[in-house]
Amino acid sequence: HFAIHPDYQNCGAGSFFLEKLEETLRSFGIDRVYGLISQDNSRSTRFFKKHGWLIQEEPDLFVHKYL
């Protein structure tokens, strides 16, 4: 689960934590990550696209990224 409290959105906190998460996963040899986003969550969709994640529309939005 990845979420940022509304008081800390739009100040770079989400980007910071996502980048650290990706770095940590890479350090463990993990080269691909998956996630789910609700169809109606356009803010999250924009956020993950901005960070290079690919979006596949299914019943929910499926995101993934090669690290």
Side-chain angles (χ1 to χ4, degrees):
H1 183 84
F2 182 79
I4 300 296
H5 189 279
D7 291 349
Y8 299 98
Q9 292 178 2
N10 300 311
C11 67
S15 296
F16 173 81
F17 286 113
L18 184 61
E19 289 168 15
K20 292 299 178 188
L21 173 63
E22 290 178 6
E23 288 174 14
T24 300
L25 293 171
R26 275 189 216 98
S27 75
F28 284 102
I30 297 169
D31 63 358
R32 193 171 194 182
V33 180
Y34 298 91
L36 292 173
I37 302 172
S38 296
Q39 285 276 5
D40 60 351
N41 195 338
S42 60
R43 288 183 76 185
S44 288
T45 302
R46 285 191 308 273
F47 174 81
F48 282 100
K49 280 184 178 181
K50 174 181 153 184
H51 290 280
W53 289 63
L54 305 173
I55 309 295
Q56 290 179 307
E57 293 189 30
E58 295 184 7
D60 285 320
L61 299 176
F62 176 71
V63 296
H64 64 97
K65 182 177 183 181
Y66 291 102
L67 303 174

